Structure formats: C-alpha cells, structure tokens
Amino acid sequence: MWLKPDEMLLKNAFKLWVTEEDNEYFVLQRRRGYGEGGGGLTGLLVGTLDTVLDSTSKVAPFRILHHTPDSQVYWSIACGVTKEEIFQHWDWLQQNIMRTLSVFDSSEDITSFVQGKIRGLIAEEGKTSLVLEEDPEKFREALLRFEKWFELPPKEKLVTYYSCSYWRGKVPCQGWLYLSTNFMCFYSYLLGAEVKLIISWDEIWRLEKTSNVILTESIHVLVHGEDHYFSMLLHLSETFVIMEQLADYSIKRLFDKEAFQREPALSDPLQITKRGLEAHAKSEQFRTFFRLPKEENLLEVHESFLWVPFSHYNTLGKICLSENYLCFASQDGSQCHVIIPMREVINVEKPDSSSRALTVCVRGKRALRFSEVRGYQRLANSIRSRCGISPSPQHSASSEVIRGECQSLINHFDDNPEDVTLMVGQKDSSKAVSTEALMTVFHPQDVENLDPKMLKEKMKEQSWNIHFSEYGRGTSMFFTRKTRDLIVRGVPEALRGELWMLFSGAVNDMATHPGYYTDLVEQSLGTSTLATDEIERDLHRSLPEHPAFQSDTGISALRRVLTAYAYRNPKIGYCQAMNILTSVLLLYAKEEEAFWLLVAVCERMLPDYFNRRIIGALVDQAVFEDLIRDHLPQLVDHMTDLSFFSSVSLSWFLTLFISVLPIESAVNVVDCFFYDGIKAILQLGLAVLDYNMGALISCQDDAEAVTILNKFFDSVTNKDSPLPSTVKQASVGNNDKASHFNVDISELIREAYEKYGNIRSEEVESSRKRNKLHVIQTLEDTTKQNVIRVVTQEVRFSASHLDGLYNLFKRQHFLSCYWTMKSPALLHHDPSLAYLDQYQLGFQQFSVLFSLLAPWAFCNAKSTLSLWVFRLIDENQDGLVNFKEFCFALDTLYSGSFTNKLKFLFKLHLPPAFTGSPLHLKEERIQHFIPVTADSSHLSRRTAFDLPEDGVIKKSPERGRGKVDLQAYLKQWQNEILKKEETIKDLPRINQTQFIQFSKTLYNIFHGDPEEESLYRAVAHVTSLLLRMEEVGRRLHEPSSPPESAKPANAAAAEEEEPTTEEASTTPESSDTSSSRYRRDAGTDLTEMEWSFSFEQVLASLLNEPTIVSFFERPVDVQTKLGQARIAQLKLKANK
C-alpha cells in the first residue's frame, strides 16, 4: 500500500528494521521479528509495540523508504503485509521511477518528484473506496491492519475501528476493535500472547451496555452462549450505537428481508460507512418521532426559537427539514412539536434583514415565525426550492404584507372550495368505495338527545374546538401537553376518524397518493390468492355483534380494504388480527382513510407485527417483560418466569386491546395508540398488571391468573360512551352475575399515564433493537432444534455433530450473501416454509461446503463429483439441497457400510447424477460454474441443471404465495410413506461410459492416500476381471439375441452417449482395455459393442480386494473434520 510521504530519521529505527533491498534512492526493509528467524525477545517486543501503537510504519512488516545520497532524511512511501505485495511496489519503482530520476540535477527536485508521484497514486486509489471516510489517510492504515490480521475476503467493508480492552476472564487485553459490515473483530498482541476474535453479526444473541464493580462501563456481547466484554473505550456510547446499527442491519438483511427491502439506503453492503449509518439512524428517529413516510430522510437540522402564539413566548427547539416536510420539536420540556407539509406552505419571507428570522406562511390562516436561525438564508432557499416558491424581489417584507398575502389566498380557497380539494391532492372516489364512516351510517347522532352522556360528548367536542382555535387544526396543528391531556380524557365520536388520521400521519399518505386506493380496489377485484381465501374466512368473525358488520355494507367495505392492502403488500398479505383492527378503523373513518390508517399501523407504527412469524409482536413482548422487571418488582419476585405474561399479552399487542376489551372502551386505547405509539400499549399493560397485583401474587397457577385478567377486562367500562346498547360489545365473561366492581377506561388510562408516563419513546426503541437480536436468534434456534430432531432419527450423527453441521450449513448460505447487494442466494432462505426447507443451498454453495467436509481429498469445490452428488441428493430436482438431504449424503460417506458407500458411488454414475459422457464433462463443469447474476430469475438459475422432460421445474407445494395445492401435499406425503428401502437389485446396470467414469472416480479418490499404489493395482485388477467376465458372457450369448431386460438400458446408452477413444485412452488400465476392445470390435454392430455391469458384479469384485475394503471402512473423526471446516470455511471464501 502506498503511503503519504512521511519524514523520518532512520538512525532511530536501526534496531527494529532489517534492510532486504536497497539502491541509490530507495530502501526496502523488513520488520525485525517477522519472516525468517522470528526475532526472539526482540520479536515479542516489536509485536507488542505494533499492536498497542497506532502507526502503520510500526505495524506493517515491510516498508519502502526514499532517500537521496546527500541527505540523512528518509521518507516512508509504501508498506506491505506480505513480501509479494511489497516487492510489487519495489518492482514498479524500479521500472517507472528509477530511470526518470537520473535527469534531475538536485536532491530536492528528486524528492519533490517522488512525493508528487506517490501522492498521485494514493489519490487514484482513493477515488473509489475512501472518498466517504472522514480521514482517508488514517483509515487506509487501519484498513491495512484489518486485512493483515483477519484475512477476510477483500470485499469485506471496514466501517470503523476503536482502541479498547477485551476481557479474557479477569484479565484485560489491550488491542483494537474493528467493526465491518459483516464482522466484529478484535486483535491484541502483548508479549507473545496473541488474541484474535472474529464474530459475525448474525451470530450475536445479545448486545448491551453493562457495568459492574470491576468494569465501570463496558459492552457485553453474547454469542452462542459465550460472553464477551469490551471496555476502556474512549467513545463507548458511539461505539455501542454503531455496533447496534451493524447488528440490526445484518439481522434485517439476512433474517428479516421484508423489513430490509423497505430500506433502500442500506441495500449495498459494500457502501456502508460510519457516516452513512449515523445519517440513517438520525433519519429513522426523525421519521418515527414525526410519523412520516419511509421515503423521508433528514436533510437539514437548524437550532432556533419558534414563537408559540397560544403561550405568547418563544420556545427553543430544532427545525428538521426533509424532502417534503418542515418539522419543529421543542427542547425545553414543553413537549411542543409541529409538522408542516411542504404542500401546505404558501410563502417564506424574512421580516427583517438585520434579524436571523423566518416566517413561514401556510394555509389555514397560519404563519409560523422562527427566530435566531443560524443558517436562515440557506434554510429559506431550501424551503422555497422544495415548495416551488420564487424568492421575493425584495429581501424583506413587513408582517402586514405577509398576512395580506396569506389572507388573500385563504379567501380564495374559502370562495372556491373545489380548489382546496385539488391542492390537497384528492380525487373523486369510486362509487364502489364507501365515503362515510360506518358509525355515522349505523349510529347517527341525535342532535335533540340531551341525556347526560350526550351532553358530556358535546362538552368534549367543545373542548377540542377550543383547542383547534388556539393550536390550529389539520396537518400543521401544534402538538402539546394539552393535546395529550385531551386524548387521555377521550376523543369525541365525531372527531375520532379525523384525529386518528392526523396523529398517525396517514393524512399525509392519503394526500400524496390521490386515487391510489380506488385503483387498488379495481386491480384487486376478483383476484384469488391464499390471502383472499383467508380474508373471506375471517370477514364474519370481525366484530360480529356490531350492527355494521351484520350487513353487507360493513362486510363489503372490510373486504375491499383488506384485499386492497394484501394486493399492495403481498409480503404481508393478510394476517389474523388485521380484520379486527380494520373493522374498528372502518367504524370511525371513511373507507379510504381506514386503508391508509391500516398502512400506517402495519408499515410504520407496528413494524413486523403482521407477518408469519410476528417478530414485531414478540419483540415488544420482550420489551414488556423488561418494563415489568423495572416497574413491578413485587410481581417479578413472585413470578420468576415472565414468559406467562408474554403469552397472555400477545393479543393485547396484536389487536391493541380490542380483542379483550369491550369496543366502547377499546377505542379509547386506540386513541392513545395513534398519539403515543406502542408506548401507550406498554403503559396500559403495566397499569393492568399493577391494578391486579394482589390477585396475581396470590394465584396458584397460570390458569387462575388468566381467569383473574379476563374478569378484570370484563369489568372495564366506558361510562361516558354515548353508544346505545345495540352497538356496545357484549362482555366476554359470564354476565349472569354482575361484577361487584367496574373500572372506567378513562381512569385506567389516566393512571397508566400518571404512573408510567415517564417511559421515553427513545428507551422503547432502544429496547426494541436490543431484544430483536434475542427474538430472532431464539426463532432460529427453534428452527435448528426442530430440524435436528427430525434428521437425528434417520442418520448416525450425534446431536452435537448435527448441531455443528447445521451451523456450517447455515453459515455457508450467509457467506454467499455477505458481499453481494442482491444475492440470488438470499432467495434460498424463506422462514415461511417448513423447518427443513427454510435454509437451502444452491450448487455453488453446496460444492464449497461439500469439499470441506467430504472424507476424500479429491472432492474439491470444482470437481465434477460435487456436481454429481448434488444432483443425486436433490430429490425434488429444484436446484436446491436442504439440510436433511445434505446430512444423508455425509452420513453415508462417514458412517455407512462398505456396501452403502459403494452403492452411493455407483449411483453417482447413473442418471440423474451422471448425465454425460467424458467428452461432455468439461463443458458440463464450466456450465455449472457460471456465476449467477443478481437479477436472474429462478428459471435462469436453473439453467445449470437438467430440466424435466416437460420443461417444468417441480417445486415443493409450500413455495410461493399462491393458493396451496392440498392434493400435491397429500400426494407428496403418500409417496414418502410408501417409499420403500432401495435394494441393490433395484439399481440399473452401469453401461460402458458410466463404468469408465466410475473407474476414473475411484482412481481420483485414492490419489494422495499412503496406500495409493496398492489401491491403484487393486482397481486395475478388478477392472480387468470385470471386463474378462463380460467378454466371456458375451461369447456365451453370441448365438442368441441379448436378454430383453438388457436391451433398453444398452440401447438407450448407445443412442445417448458415444464416448471417444481419445478421451477413454486418458484413463488408467481399465480405459486401455476398453480402448483395445473398441478397436477389436470396430466392425461389429453398435449394440453388440456396448457392455454393462450390475451392481452385484462390481460389489463382488471389489469385496475380493481387502485394500479397497479397508480404505472405505476407515473411520472418520467427525469432530476434527467439523473443526477444520469451520476454520477453513471463511479462508476459502477469502482466497477466491
């Protein structure tokens, strides 16, 4: 690696460096302690210095210095990890620089020329890889050490690095922590003790900041049951955040691909940088806080004051600008924030050129004044450019002018309401889409009804109208503490739909996608998929007691919304609990609004809840358990196993308490959810447990605890609900005996906010990330245990060996995905399939892993034998091998009897494994090693394998999101049940071409064995014996025609394959014999020239050779083989 020329005095380094090459202008040196001799004590000291000190010249074992004859100053210009690398630089200097230097007259000119040349080379190298790093020179030095110490593939992207201590027991090791896209690495070298650690992010179970008596503050990493602690970090919080982001990135990319596809900013693992991760994290926090669409990114942040008209003072906060939104959040504890869509902005002006202030005028008679904005001019230009507003010719304008412009535009929209519709982006709805909330249709408010509940409802409406007059209404409304107080008291029925849309951000989605829902409804109309079948099944289970869903009006609206969403997001499609949630949304929102509310819930507010593994709900249950430990210690002391609360609370999270509370009470919970997100559900869950603390502590078992909670939910009422009894949901429990107590939902929610309102959303999000690792790994471990439980019944491997094999199998899949943006191998993992088929390997992945585990040296990654094994064990011929199929092959080769091993080899030379003659083997091998492009479809990936005769690729019934073919399932299960044990008599005869290749395979397998010569002689003897037996048999049958049973096989072989004498002559003795036989029978008929052998003949002949029998019966040390494979697996990828 070329280095920025750095001046040094050589006399200070004589004892640490040894000169290898030198000339008039350059010196090549080797670090003492590296290479020949090791260096003894000096080498130990030098190695320790190299690790502790942060300097490339003290780490790289080779370097090149530049000097001039009349100067004592030397300049370091290059360094290298290997001798080959440094000599490449040395040779380049000899060929390109040395001749040029002779033309210069002075030493200064020579040095200046060399320095300029080296800087040019560095600049050329840095154009592609290091332009995004803050300190390219220092980062290049760290990258050199990273590549030297860990020997990872060149594509592995180093993100950042830190100096820290790694604790081995109670002893700290000072070294360097390197964080790359796929690995966390640590290296330390102190007085001869080397510590090297490589952990892939996808193996981490838990990542958290901890502190104890010994370690005041450290980072704890749990991997496969092993604890790792890192401390003495100068920027521990920054390090932890980067580690958390990289772990989360890996989990999303490899395990949770649905969530990963929604984040295009991080799609390329080769372009991940520290700066990029930080920007992505800030954008994610920005979107979460303001409930903005996933497409928005945080572009600018400006600290400023905002004039708050309702409080008559300036509040300090930050202006956050994205592509389509201008947002402000206070930082003085007032909990005030406002969201201004750019489409609502009318004008941006600077009232006074001497002040750093801006006034943003929006529709709705609103003007927001920001003051003390440091970059006010740039901010004004950014807002104008994004809103399409031309800057005013005068740089200042009076407040009256601004108000006048705003008022004239407002008056225009008041006189022309149809223009407002066009501005917002709405479109005439289809007549098939309901334009009224179902509650309005089935329970219209009676204006003349003056009962106490209706009067209280009117008072609530009046309170909100006052709030709107002070804080604004619509998308640019101020959100304050008073807003939350009104939410806690309960939202009036008439305003519920409007406020849900506003708080969730769905109002912005609908405004920016006019006509989208109507188009979806038309496109999804009449489609038939697995999702639509499930929707039809659940339609009449959605609030069946409510009149709205006892009629076709409500059922049809629910069907359209759910089907449209399944069409929009086929990754989720439809999941249970979506019908319950959507039915409640339809009660208070128009049909199109209900659709966008469902989008906001499924894709932003409750991520990963509604999929097959409900990962999001499981993560939030783990967060809930953590909060129980923190806030309800008495309950924890009584019930040490908190998994009970996870199981009982699952429906709370999935349905937002709708499934356990009466509908009139549940909607109050939904109000709080749309305002505060999942934090509101967690708070309410804690309040429910706290309310029932005494009863839960005294209960004897889980069933009693469930009964207590069910009775409690039955007792929850909403005393202020104006809904009639025909609309209210019946109690879940037994209503024969009225409960002696009732709990008002408003009181319960108020208590939840008072006791647990201090839970911060940032803490919840951090806990989500921390627990997601554990949840994902627990699911993966469950999959592994189920797979091993199935496979262990049919193979002779122990459970520990199967565990190691599964880890290697899974790791091989990941190694194919690490360094490619859209690797086709990512498609080989589908968590929605059965356990055995969740991880599968394509041929290239399989061939690498098989070469590491096969008992014979010949089975390298590029051998045709790997291809034949792959074809043989790929039972369903879909071009993929699952773990069970892989274990069957290894079990036969490791632990099978001599007969079974020989039968396996014999079948490798029969179709479907062996499909070509020796002439075609080279073409076949090349064809199978053509790399698959990222955009290839499943069919294009299949071209390396033979298609069935009908040209249709047979796939397992689970594949795809279409309707499941139950007949295919039943047929597959029937075939598996009726499958009988294959006997040696069931094997077809092996023809001439196949036998020649079989003999070559035996020779190749024996190559390199200590008894290679005796094994070769034994194979030659067997081959000659079989050929003589065949010749004698042919002469005995010459007068008569060949047996009918032999005709089809021989004829097919003769028609399909025609081996050449040239290729056959390259084989050992058996091939020579067959070649002479070709020449002797050249004039005979082709059918007579073909000969074949049965498996019994081959087996009987080989059993007579004790050397061959002992070779195949030689035991294999499985544990050693697994350990060697794990070490070599990553190195093999690095050396490609």
Side-chain angles (χ1 to χ4, degrees), residues 812 815-816 841-854 859-862 866 886 929 1125 1128-1130 1132-1133 1136:
Q812 190 61 48
L815 286 173
S816 303
L841 299 184
F843 169 65
Q844 294 194 16
Q845 299 166 297
F846 166 83
S847 62
V848 174
L849 184 57
F850 183 72
S851 68
L852 295 173
L853 293 171
C859 304
N860 58 60
K862 294 189 177 181
S866 297
F886 181 75
F929 280 87
Q1129 197 174 31
L1130 196 56
L1132 193 64
K1133 187 74 179 179
K1136 278 192 173 183

Side-chain angles (χ1 to χ4, degrees), residues 794-797 805 850 853-856 869 872-873 884-908 981-982 1112-1114 1116:
E794 304 185 39
V795 297
R796 280 153 287 198
F797 288 118
L805 277 172
F850 183 72
L853 293 171
W856 307 310
V869 172
L872 179 63
I873 65 178
K884 182 180 179 181
E885 295 167 337
F886 181 75
C887 285
F888 280 177
L890 283 184
D891 184 57
T892 301
L893 298 179
Y894 279 19
S895 310
S897 64
F898 174 74
T899 302
N900 287 336
K901 289 179 180 178
L902 191 64
K903 183 169 71 172
F904 188 83
L905 284 174
F906 189 85
K907 289 169 69 175
L908 289 182
E981 185 68 27
E982 185 182 51
F1112 281 105
E1113 291 185 344
R1114 192 181 300 164
V1116 178

Side-chain angles (χ1 to χ4, degrees), residues 139-325:
F139 194 83
R140 290 173 78 249
E141 297 176 4
L143 183 60
L144 180 71
R145 296 196 301 272
F146 176 70
E147 293 173 347
K148 167 199 165 187
W149 285 336
F150 304 108
E151 300 178 350
L152 294 172
K155 286 186 177 180
E156 182 62 16
K157 179 74 171 62
L158 178 64
V159 177
T160 188
Y161 60 99
Y162 299 96
S163 173
C164 72
S165 290
Y166 169 64
W167 289 78
R168 300 182 69 186
K170 296 181 180 180
V171 180
C173 303
Q174 183 64 30
W176 291 90
L177 178 67
Y178 294 87
L179 307 180
S180 65
T181 307
N182 300 295
F183 299 96
M184 177 180 68
C185 306
F186 176 83
Y187 185 85
S188 173
Y189 185 87
L190 294 173
L191 299 177
E194 183 182 54
V195 179
K196 185 185 295 186
L197 191 68
I198 302 177
I199 298 173
S200 57
W201 295 113
D202 54 78
E203 295 176 330
I204 294 178
W205 279 68
R206 193 167 286 280
L207 180 66
E208 58 191 354
K209 286 192 286 187
T210 60
S211 60
N212 54 41
V213 178
I214 301 175
L215 305 175
T216 54
E217 201 172 15
S218 63
I219 296 176
H220 171 221
V221 181
L222 177 63
V223 182
H224 294 309
E226 296 182 7
D227 294 302
H228 305 275
Y229 292 91
F230 300 90
S231 65
M232 305 287 289
L233 285 148
L234 187 60
H235 305 287
L236 188 137
S237 296
E238 175 190 306
T239 308
F240 178 75
V241 169
I242 294 293
M243 293 172 71
E244 196 176 51
Q245 289 173 335
L246 287 170
D248 185 60
Y249 167 77
S250 180
I251 289 293
K252 285 181 179 178
R253 183 166 183 261
L254 301 174
F255 297 110
D256 190 16
K257 292 183 280 291
E258 294 175 8
F260 180 74
Q261 290 171 357
R262 298 195 295 267
E263 297 185 4
L266 297 179
S267 59
D268 189 354
L270 303 182
Q271 300 299 324
I272 301 296
T273 62
K274 178 183 173 183
R275 188 184 302 172
L277 287 172
E278 290 172 347
H280 179 264
K282 289 177 181 177
S283 294
E284 194 171 27
Q285 292 173 359
F286 166 69
R287 290 191 297 265
T288 302
F289 183 83
F290 292 107
R291 306 280 169 76
L292 299 179
K294 287 287 186 182
E295 298 77 23
E296 298 300 312
N297 295 291
L298 182 60
L299 303 178
E300 297 179 28
V301 178
H302 301 268
E303 194 171 272
S304 73
F305 287 90
L306 172 63
W307 173 253
V308 185
F310 47 85
S311 299
H312 304 288
Y313 75 99
N314 283 312
T315 179
L316 175 65
K318 288 186 177 180
I319 301 172
C320 301
L321 188 69
S322 70
E323 289 87 349
N324 299 296
Y325 296 89

